[in-house]
Amino acid sequence: MQKNQPKNIVILTGAGISADSGIATFRASDGLWESHSIEKVATPEGYARDPEFVQQFYNERRAQLLDPKIKPNLAHIALAELEAHYQAKGIGNVTVVTQNIDDLHQRAGSKNVMPMHGELLKLRCVKTERIVEWRSPEPVTDSDRCQCCTPPQPLRPHIVWFGEMPFYMDEIQYKLSQADLFVAIGTSGHVYPAAGFVANARSLGLPTMEFNLEASSNVSQFANSIYGRALDTVPRWVRSLTRG
Ligand SMILES: [Zn+2]
């Protein structure tokens, strides 16, 4: 084991890590939100007003994600290798907290993933919140119904919309409290509560590191910033932790 090697690492990832896989950036200035208003497709009120339109929006995103051309890139793969290496050598835990709704970390082989903003390939019953996997480019319509209720209820996208609480918040705080290093990769630093994790990490005395194309809006909060494409910078960092 290397001297000063962090044992438990919490890694927050955002749109920047999936951009190199061809996933159009979600919520970015050049992204998909521009052509659909956020209120229409990413709020509970928008869904209540026009569920068919909202389903259509996520159907398009799901079909894109399931296109065979879309694959995990070297950054996703490096994080999966880091987790596997830490596990195999008994060094510690690597946790990936992702703001992305794609499944590219899981496809790359990461096991310890917390998709805090939900998952495109899942739906849930609007009444019981029971989750249903939907790993098919077949469109979901508003007439698709759950199998848990009588009468059967609509299935909404398993996505955290504006005004809703992200998933895994308690688990993320616990993982931070056990961590030796907090890393952010490809996040804008605009979307809370994720943008606040670096402040939590600092208050816990953790070293902090960010990987980004350019300075994020909360750059000053990170002790160490590395700029460039994630598929170049992240594998290099992982190699520095796993060699020897
Ligand atoms: Zn139900």
Side-chain angles (χ1 to χ4, degrees):
M1 195 185 298
Q2 294 171 33
K3 210 175 152 200
N4 298 326
Q5 184 171 34
K7 291 189 179 65
N8 297 319
I9 308 177
V10 174
I11 302 167
L12 173 68
T13 68
I17 198 168
S18 291
D20 280 323
S21 288
I23 302 268
T25 306
F26 220 46
R27 303 193 198 209
S29 57
D30 61 345
L32 294 157
W33 292 121
E34 295 285 58
S35 52
H36 299 81
S37 91
I38 286 172
E39 290 73 20
K40 270 190 179 169
V41 299
T43 63
E45 296 77 18
Y47 177 67
R49 215 172 291 131
D50 193 347
E52 205 68 61
F53 181 82
V54 172
Q55 295 286 14
Q56 181 56 28
F57 176 81
Y58 293 97
N59 285 339
E60 288 167 14
R61 310 281 81 75
R62 195 176 301 111
Q64 182 201 26
L65 178 58
L66 294 170
D67 184 312
K69 290 199 293 288
I70 301 290
K71 293 187 180 110
N73 64 53
L74 294 173
H76 296 105
I77 292 165
L79 295 183
E81 287 172 354
L82 179 64
E83 181 183 335
H85 177 84
Y86 264 49
Q87 171 112 48
K89 302 277 181 186
I91 299 168
N93 294 310
V94 174
T95 303
V96 173
V97 175
T98 187
Q99 297 171 276
N100 298 334
I101 59 173
D102 63 53
D103 65 337
L104 296 179
H105 285 299
Q106 294 91 330
R107 273 197 240 172
S110 287
K111 304 276 183 261
N112 205 0
V113 184
M114 298 185 187
M116 64 179 291
H117 287 164
E119 295 171 77
L120 202 42
L121 302 183
K122 291 180 179 173
L123 308 171
R124 69 171 189 263
C125 168
V126 296
K127 194 169 174 192
T128 66
E129 306 200 325
R130 188 170 296 185
I131 290 168
V132 177
E133 301 240 358
W134 197 282
R135 295 186 167 272
S136 150
E138 280 298 298
V140 180
T141 70
D142 199 49
S143 49
D144 284 301
R145 289 287 185 268
C146 78
Q147 297 188 337
C148 51
C149 301
T150 314
Q153 299 294 309
L155 291 165
R156 62 162 273 183
H158 186 53
I159 302 290
V160 176
W161 287 328
F162 288 91
E164 297 182 325
M165 180 61 79
F167 302 125
Y168 301 103
M169 292 305 292
D170 291 344
E171 291 93 331
I172 295 166
Q173 291 307 325
Y174 175 74
K175 289 289 184 181
L176 282 173
S177 76
Q178 302 294 305
D180 306 295
L181 174 66
F182 173 72
V183 178
I185 302 171
T187 71
S188 66
H190 290 296
V191 180
Y192 283 84
F197 293 160
V198 60
N200 298 359
R202 286 177 70 96
S203 71
L204 291 161
L206 301 187
T208 58
M209 230 178 138
E210 76 161 340
F211 293 86
N212 235 328
L213 266 185
E214 52 196 26
S216 62
S217 63
N218 55 356
V219 58
S220 61
Q221 298 190 61
F222 287 91
N224 189 1
S225 297
I226 294 165
Y227 301 122
R229 290 172 73 183
L231 55 73
D232 294 323
T233 56
V234 174
R236 205 175 302 138
W237 170 66
V238 167
R239 278 195 296 276
S240 77
L241 289 174
T242 57
R243 72 177 163 222

